[in-house]
Amino acid sequence: EDQNVPQRTKVVVIGAGWGGLSTAHALSKDDRYDVTVVEAAPKVGGVVRDGYTTISGQRPAEAGQHGFWNNYHNIYSLFDELGIRDTALTDYAPQGQYSPRGLEAVWPVYREQFPALPTGLAQAAYTKFLQLSPLERATALPLVLAFSEFDNSPQAWQRYDNVSFRDLCMRLGVSKKMYNEAFEPMILTGLFAPGSECSAAAALGMAYFFVLQSQNAFDVQWCRGNIGDQVFTPWVEVMQGRGVHLRTETRVSGFTLNESQTKIVGVQCQTANGGSVELAADAVVFGVGAEALQAFAKFCPELSQFDEFRRFANLRGTSVLATRVFLDRNVTVPYSANACWGFDENVGMTMFDIRALHGSDNPTVMGAPGSVLEVDYYHASPLLVMDDSAIVEKVKKDVDTLLGPTAKQATVVDAAVVRLPNGVNWYYPGSYRDMPQLTSQSLRDCYFAGDIVRTQHGSWSQEKAYVTGLQVANLLRRDITGGNTNNPLTKILPVASDEPHVALGK
Ligand SMILES: Cc1cc2nc3c(=O)[nH]c(=O)nc-3n(C[C@H](O)[C@H](O)[C@H](O)COP(=O)(O)OP(=O)(O)OC[C@H]3O[C@@H](n4cnc5c(N)ncnc54)[C@H](O)[C@@H]3O)c2cc1C
């Protein structure tokens, strides 16, 4: 071997979701790394990938409609780097909240509300709750104590992780009506499971990030089209241009450890055509969710010899049903994005007007005769067992209840049904102790990225997955190639600081 050619560090990234792609992209900026991303699915994007088709086979579909909230500073910075910020995102718009009895609340565009108010007061003053009296809303005040105490530190997580969010609310005296009509819908759509089955720590962290960090925290821009076309394709092209190898339809199924069992040196993969391949690795990044970590714990004895990996057997996901219905006529949809509750017990629901969000010239709606509605259900295992036609019938019934007479006259001419069994992470009470840290505690040069990973950054969902990927790239560079952490590959932007009154409370 030519001694003058520097050896490149072989990094195998498992999973091409936000977390794995983030690490691969960051490392691609340093040519000392030879990065391979291995993805089981046919397309990149993880749980939010596109590449599905409608029942007729004629139209593209994706898993849901994806939003980027005010505090997604790192993803916004990526969009700037890729030059896609203006084209990939919608403008801000008010959002609705519905139950079967009608419109329940309206979330305005908070940055357009004046005067700007301290957080907490701003949401109370500017959110229009149509059914909740000020007295009911006042019962939520004691929660301020919990929000003040929760600072994302491991101690705060341990303090609030063993109790469910519902129990915390009941103990603090939040009224049942306030809980059922304001908090439960937020948890079902933000954490994908009911508050009685979600860690209070996760709920406090998520709600602070998405709603309470500032007056503008809940303002959201949606992906203006298919997320694969708008975001993942241009992003992956940049990485591949810098030499990142991408292997889709390739499932990681086992690992080879060094003789002293301290390090992964080979990643065993199964390809779609039944072949197998082993990739040599100097470092391995697990960019996978709870369900995949659980499978590795169960089926890879080389990993389950370690307590850290055995604990992943406790992790679990919850199911999502993402549907898109194409109607034969335009129906009136007052708000382009809506959270809904009360349609199925313990199931969260969102509804989007795709034509309004993507624009009528977008390939996602081209050729469609009327409205195109995305209706997604969370914690939806009982719905996943229905067949496609029963699901489409149910969706239409829910849309009719939501939108009333004009919707009832419409018929469905095509639909997409995407099932994601156990596809999203479930932050059940006590899950914190089972979740991975950024760096493996038992194997050298082994890391975890994605929204299942413990981090003190304070972000959630896509932003959290993306941030943990950057954190892993910086740690890996420090550990393996002695990179200076003061000069990271990608600077990680913090969630904005607490407002003065919140900091004082804390
Ligand atoms: C319908 C829906 C709507 C959502 N809406 C929003 C939203 O509006 N805003 C927001 O911020 N977040 C949203 N989320 C959540 C967000 O998508 C996730 O937080 C984020 O995508 C998680 O990314 P990740 O990289 O951690 O994991 P994942 O996306 O789960 O990626 C893991 C990848 O690993 C692959 N993998 C697993 N096992 C293996 C294996 N053995 N070998 C190879 N590859 C493997 C998987 O195929 C997958 O591609 C939504 C999720 C869903 C399902």
Side-chain angles (χ1 to χ4, degrees):
E1 200 170 315
D2 185 348
Q3 294 299 313
N4 295 324
V5 179
Q7 197 71 31
R8 296 178 80 210
T9 302
K10 293 189 185 67
V11 182
V12 176
V13 177
I14 308 169
W18 275 101
L21 290 177
S22 165
T23 301
H25 179 230
L27 291 178
S28 75
K29 295 175 181 171
D30 185 334
D31 63 11
R32 290 176 299 173
Y33 300 101
D34 179 11
V35 182
T36 302
V37 181
V38 185
E39 169 55 55
K43 292 199 79 174
V44 304
V47 281
V48 290
R49 71 176 161 268
D50 65 329
Y52 302 93
T53 48
T54 56
I55 292 169
S56 72
Q58 287 171 2
R59 297 185 172 90
E62 57 187 318
Q65 167 65 37
H66 306 293
F68 301 88
W69 274 262
N70 186 66
N71 278 316
Y72 282 36
H73 304 301
N74 292 281
I75 287 186
Y76 281 126
S77 166
L78 169 71
F79 288 175
D80 286 338
E81 189 184 327
L82 298 174
I84 59 172
R85 186 160 174 166
D86 293 337
T87 49
L89 297 174
T90 64
D91 288 336
Y92 297 104
Q95 305 173 69
Q97 193 206 56
Y98 284 86
S99 78
R101 68 186 175 204
L103 186 65
E104 295 280 344
V106 178
W107 298 297
V109 178
Y110 288 92
R111 62 204 339 100
E112 292 171 359
Q113 310 305 309
F114 297 100
L117 294 173
T119 190
L121 198 58
Q123 292 82 350
Y126 296 135
T127 310
K128 292 189 191 77
F129 286 105
L130 307 178
Q131 309 283 349
L132 281 167
S133 69
L135 210 61
E136 294 286 353
R137 283 184 264 157
T139 67
L141 270 176
L143 265 181
V144 169
L145 290 173
F147 278 110
S148 302
E149 211 174 38
F150 189 79
D151 61 1
N152 265 307
S153 64
Q155 294 75 13
W157 268 91
Q158 273 147 19
R159 187 168 165 76
Y160 282 99
D161 193 46
N162 285 326
V163 61
S164 79
F165 183 63
R166 187 178 189 285
D167 283 349
L168 178 72
C169 289
M170 294 303 117
R171 271 191 226 167
L172 290 175
V174 176
S175 81
K176 284 216 168 81
K177 187 172 165 68
M178 179 68 190
Y179 177 81
N180 289 337
E181 299 183 10
F183 289 123
E184 180 73 352
M186 177 183 72
I187 301 300
L188 272 165
T189 47
L191 291 180
F192 304 116
S196 57
E197 296 174 57
C198 281
S199 140
L204 292 170
M206 182 276 293
Y208 186 69
F209 177 69
F210 281 116
V211 184
L212 282 174
Q213 187 275 326
S214 69
Q215 171 169 322
N216 298 347
F218 199 58
D219 286 345
V220 54
Q221 291 180 278
W222 299 96
C223 189
R224 200 179 172 282
N226 182 315
I227 195 166
D229 299 337
Q230 300 294 327
V231 177
F232 293 122
T233 299
W235 190 17
V236 166
E237 274 171 12
V238 168
M239 286 180 230
Q240 288 182 310
R242 294 198 195 120
V244 170
H245 314 284
L246 174 65
R247 286 173 170 266
T248 51
E249 293 190 275
T250 305
R251 179 173 292 279
V252 172
S253 54
F255 300 87
T256 305
L257 269 51
N258 63 355
E259 213 174 321
S260 54
Q261 305 288 291
T262 52
K263 189 173 155 53
I264 297 172
V265 293
V267 177
Q268 299 152 15
C269 310
Q270 307 293 323
T271 56
N273 58 12
S276 59
V277 61
E278 174 150 345
L279 303 172
D282 299 313
V284 173
V285 180
F286 288 83
V288 301
E291 193 69 1
L293 286 176
Q294 189 203 65
F296 287 136
K298 282 186 182 161
F299 303 115
C300 299
E302 56 283 7
L303 298 184
S304 60
Q305 63 178 305
F306 303 107
D307 178 58
E308 175 190 28
F309 283 87
R310 282 198 298 276
R311 299 194 80 89
F312 299 159
N314 283 331
L315 295 174
R316 51 187 190 269
T318 179
S319 302
V320 175
L321 173 65
T323 73
R324 193 165 286 189
V325 288
F326 296 76
L327 302 179
D328 66 342
R329 68 195 69 192
N330 281 321
V331 299
T332 309
V333 189
Y335 301 97
S336 52
N338 305 277
C340 318
W341 57 268
F343 286 79
D344 298 273
E345 203 183 343
N346 279 350
V347 175
M349 180 179 161
T350 48
M351 195 272 285
F352 302 94
D353 181 348
I354 294 298
R355 196 180 279 284
L357 292 174
H358 294 188
S360 284
D361 54 348
N362 200 292
T364 50
V365 298
M366 288 248 274
S371 292
V372 180
L373 305 176
E374 172 81 28
V375 187
D376 300 333
Y377 300 88
Y378 312 98
H379 200 60
S381 290
L383 305 182
L384 258 61
V385 295
M386 296 159 74
D387 66 26
D388 285 3
S389 59
I391 286 175
V392 174
E393 206 176 301
K394 182 227 169 355
V395 172
K396 178 63 174 39
K397 202 164 139 242
D398 289 348
V399 165
D400 291 352
T401 308
L402 247 153
L403 299 176
T406 64
K408 283 187 183 139
Q409 286 158 14
T411 51
V412 176
V413 293
D414 199 2
V417 175
V418 178
R419 293 177 180 79
L420 300 170
N422 306 322
V424 289
N425 300 324
W426 186 345
Y427 303 93
Y428 53 86
S431 52
Y432 183 75
R433 63 174 169 262
D434 300 324
M435 284 159 43
Q437 301 184 41
L438 291 162
T439 306
S440 169
Q441 306 303 294
S442 37
L443 289 169
R444 277 196 290 127
D445 307 332
C446 174
Y447 304 86
F448 299 93
D451 75 354
I452 190 64
V453 178
R454 295 189 212 176
T455 161
Q456 292 189 48
H457 182 263
S459 49
W460 281 86
S461 296
Q462 294 173 110
E463 173 76 356
K464 178 183 172 189
Y466 180 65
V467 165
T468 56
L470 300 182
Q471 289 173 321
V472 161
N474 291 339
L475 286 169
L476 191 153
R477 188 157 167 262
R478 180 200 66 187
D479 296 346
I480 298 184
T481 19
N484 182 351
T485 41
N486 293 327
N487 179 25
L489 281 167
T490 305
K491 197 162 176 286
I492 297 169
L493 304 169
V495 177
S497 324
D498 295 329
E499 291 185 2
H501 65 296
V502 178
L504 191 69
K506 282 185 177 173

